[in-house]
Amino acid sequence: MHTSHLVVETREIAPVEDLLAYADPARPLAWLRRGDGIVAVGEPLAEIRPPAGGEERRGAALATVWRGMTAEAEVDDAVGLPGSGLVAFGALAFDEGSAADSVLVVPTQVLGRHGDRFWRTSIRLASAPENREPLAEQPYGAHWAGTVGPGAQTPQGYQDSVRRALDRIADGELSKVVLARDLTGSIPAGSDLRRLVRALSTGYPDTWAFAVDGLIGASPETLVTVQGGTVTARVLAGTIGRGADADADTAASAHLASSTKDLDEHQYAVQSVLASLRPHTRALAASEQPFLLKLPNLFHLATDVEGELATGESALDLARALHPTAAVAGTPTAAAISAIRELEPFDRGRYAGPVGWVDAAGNGEWAIALRCAQFTAAADDIRVTAYAGAGIVAGSDPESELLETRVKFRPLVDALA
């Protein structure tokens, strides 16, 4: 082995009150759900970005580099829980044609929690000295507020795009397309971005709260989880806002559960996930009927899928194979992507792309980057672009779809305020 290989050590530690308190305030790296998860501490060891315009698809290029790094790594993991050992955080662009890059970030230190167990992982080059520094919390910075307003796609423009999509559906070009709109704005320079991650993580505990390379959000939708050869995925498609009181809530959930439009949209999404996973799995199964997933601000139709991995692929490979699902692109996929490129007046960047982590054994958890915003440091402030979308099928109403995007923007807009 040469001296550039990685040496990794994971050890159990005493409980940590708040994992995020140890993250970098300006560039947090985090993956949290119901208090469990992993958070990077300190400067990253490496940021792997595929070359623009390379021959290999970008997600594939990342997976190739990761396989090379992990093959040579010395991993001493005394914990053996999801997220322990050698891990990288990742975010992939939605569209191969996007100007945004896909990235895998390898941290130098990770703090993790799984139930009542906590650990610390250190990752270094074999030629570098061991880091025996005690961990230090970084006090949270002052509260901040951001301002966001209509981006490239105005509310009126969005409804016009929905109408144009409905024309294409009527012409038989496609049966479903997911159209997004954007909000743009800024937050003060030097803002502690961990505050946003913490607000989303505590306000929406059943979602994956994530922060990877300036992409921060709270996704309700698991793209794929791989743990010890078992593959699981949760499909969400079909949405309705929560009611103002118990009766209205019950009426809303009953409406969603019996809505032909939403059930059809959901079935498209489930079938697309099954079709993508089949070549990589054996004994693949999905629940027969969707269940209602209740979030603080809306209901989703949800279906869980489970199978056994038949090939030696990683969670990152499967995330690539599954993306883009019908839930974020449409059906058929190629026609939907082409319609999105024409009907959305902006580049989605990493919105609706895979976000998550992968370990040396190929285990990992990947969600779809929804309810999120990309933060980019500018000369005198931090630029913010937030995104939300809705699935358009025959019978969709432009005004209702616009309202659905408003509901989906709320977690982020509330947290930014």
Side-chain angles (χ1 to χ4, degrees), residues 178-331:
V178 179
L179 290 183
R181 66 188 183 100
D182 58 331
L183 295 176
T184 57
S186 65
I187 64 172
S191 294
D192 188 337
L193 292 174
R194 297 175 302 172
R195 285 194 171 278
L196 177 61
V197 185
R198 189 170 66 169
L200 291 170
S201 178
T202 52
Y204 296 84
D206 286 328
T207 66
W208 300 110
F210 58 86
V212 180
D213 199 45
L215 182 74
I216 299 177
S219 176
E221 184 145 4
T222 312
L223 182 60
V224 69
T225 301
V226 175
Q227 190 61 43
T230 299
V231 185
T232 52
R234 172 168 285 181
V235 185
L236 303 184
T239 306
I240 196 165
R242 296 283 302 273
D245 56 39
D247 288 348
D249 220 23
T250 305
S253 64
H255 177 83
L256 180 62
S258 61
S259 157
T260 308
K261 169 205 171 269
D262 288 289
L263 288 165
D264 283 353
E265 183 189 333
H266 186 78
Q267 215 38 54
Y268 285 133
V270 172
Q271 291 309 320
S272 91
V273 167
L274 291 174
S276 302
L277 281 179
R278 260 185 212 110
H280 310 280
T281 53
R282 53 176 174 257
L284 186 65
S287 46
E288 294 216 348
Q289 294 295 327
F291 62 92
L292 279 173
L293 180 69
K294 184 160 80 168
L295 294 174
N297 59 327
L298 36 80
F299 289 108
H300 285 300
L301 291 175
T303 293
D304 284 336
V305 174
E306 185 171 322
E308 285 173 50
L309 203 52
T311 48
E313 288 163 309
S314 70
L316 174 56
D317 293 316
L318 288 180
R320 283 179 33 243
L322 281 165
H323 177 75
T325 66
V328 290
T331 314

Side-chain angles (χ1 to χ4, degrees), residues 41-416:
V41 181
E43 287 287 306
L45 180 73
E47 292 184 359
I48 308 162
R49 298 172 193 271
E55 290 299 301
E56 204 174 14
R57 287 174 72 91
R58 291 185 286 187
L62 291 180
T64 302
V65 175
W66 181 244
R67 263 194 290 279
M69 286 178 90
T70 57
E72 297 202 331
E74 280 180 62
V75 181
D76 175 6
D77 176 7
V79 175
L81 287 169
S84 68
L86 172 56
V87 295
F89 295 82
L92 310 187
F94 173 79
D95 188 334
E96 282 290 325
S98 171
D101 57 1
S102 298
V103 66
L104 271 187
V105 186
V106 184
T108 48
Q109 299 273 329
V110 180
L111 283 181
R113 175 183 180 179
H114 190 87
D116 55 4
R117 294 181 68 189
F118 295 80
W119 65 88
R120 176 185 181 175
T121 298
S122 63
I123 304 170
R124 63 181 173 89
L125 290 171
S127 54
E130 287 186 45
N131 178 0
R132 292 295 180 200
E133 293 284 305
L135 289 173
E137 289 191 27
Q138 301 206 48
Y140 283 91
H143 277 281
W144 49 265
T147 53
V148 287
Q153 182 67 295
T154 63
Q156 187 54 52
Y158 183 73
Q159 292 182 73
D160 291 341
S161 288
V162 171
R163 287 187 191 95
R164 287 161 63 200
L166 287 168
D167 289 341
R168 293 180 181 215
I169 291 168
D171 290 345
E173 273 179 55
L174 62 173
S175 48
K176 174 187 173 179
V177 62
V178 179
L179 290 183
R181 66 188 183 100
D182 58 331
L183 295 176
T184 57
S186 65
I187 64 172
S191 294
D192 188 337
L193 292 174
R194 297 175 302 172
R195 285 194 171 278
L196 177 61
V197 185
R198 189 170 66 169
L200 291 170
S201 178
T202 52
Y204 296 84
D206 286 328
T207 66
W208 300 110
F210 58 86
V212 180
D213 199 45
L215 182 74
I216 299 177
S219 176
E221 184 145 4
T222 312
L223 182 60
V224 69
T225 301
V226 175
Q227 190 61 43
T230 299
V231 185
T232 52
R234 172 168 285 181
V235 185
L236 303 184
T239 306
I240 196 165
R242 296 283 302 273
D245 56 39
D247 288 348
D249 220 23
T250 305
S253 64
H255 177 83
L256 180 62
S258 61
S259 157
T260 308
K261 169 205 171 269
D262 288 289
L263 288 165
D264 283 353
E265 183 189 333
H266 186 78
Q267 215 38 54
Y268 285 133
V270 172
Q271 291 309 320
S272 91
V273 167
L274 291 174
S276 302
L277 281 179
R278 260 185 212 110
H280 310 280
T281 53
R282 53 176 174 257
L284 186 65
S287 46
E288 294 216 348
Q289 294 295 327
F291 62 92
L292 279 173
L293 180 69
K294 184 160 80 168
L295 294 174
N297 59 327
L298 36 80
F299 289 108
H300 285 300
L301 291 175
T303 293
D304 284 336
V305 174
E306 185 171 322
E308 285 173 50
L309 203 52
T311 48
E313 288 163 309
S314 70
L316 174 56
D317 293 316
L318 288 180
R320 283 179 33 243
L322 281 165
H323 177 75
T325 66
V328 290
T331 314
T333 308
I337 295 283
S338 155
I340 287 166
R341 286 175 183 158
E342 291 171 42
L343 298 176
E344 287 180 359
F346 55 86
D347 183 328
R348 284 188 176 190
R350 297 164 179 163
Y351 163 71
V355 61
W357 62 269
V358 61
D359 76 6
N363 298 314
E365 293 172 319
W366 290 78
I368 298 172
L370 303 173
R371 322 290 198 268
C372 64
Q374 181 71 50
F375 293 78
T376 311
D380 45 8
D381 58 11
I382 299 170
R383 296 292 153 85
V384 185
T385 308
Y387 306 88
I392 314 304
V393 293
S396 289
D397 168 58
E399 201 171 335
S400 304
E401 303 302 335
L402 176 68
L403 288 174
E404 182 172 320
T405 65
R406 277 196 191 136
V407 171
K408 288 174 174 174
F409 270 127
R410 214 178 75 200
L412 206 83
V413 170
D414 286 355
L416 282 171

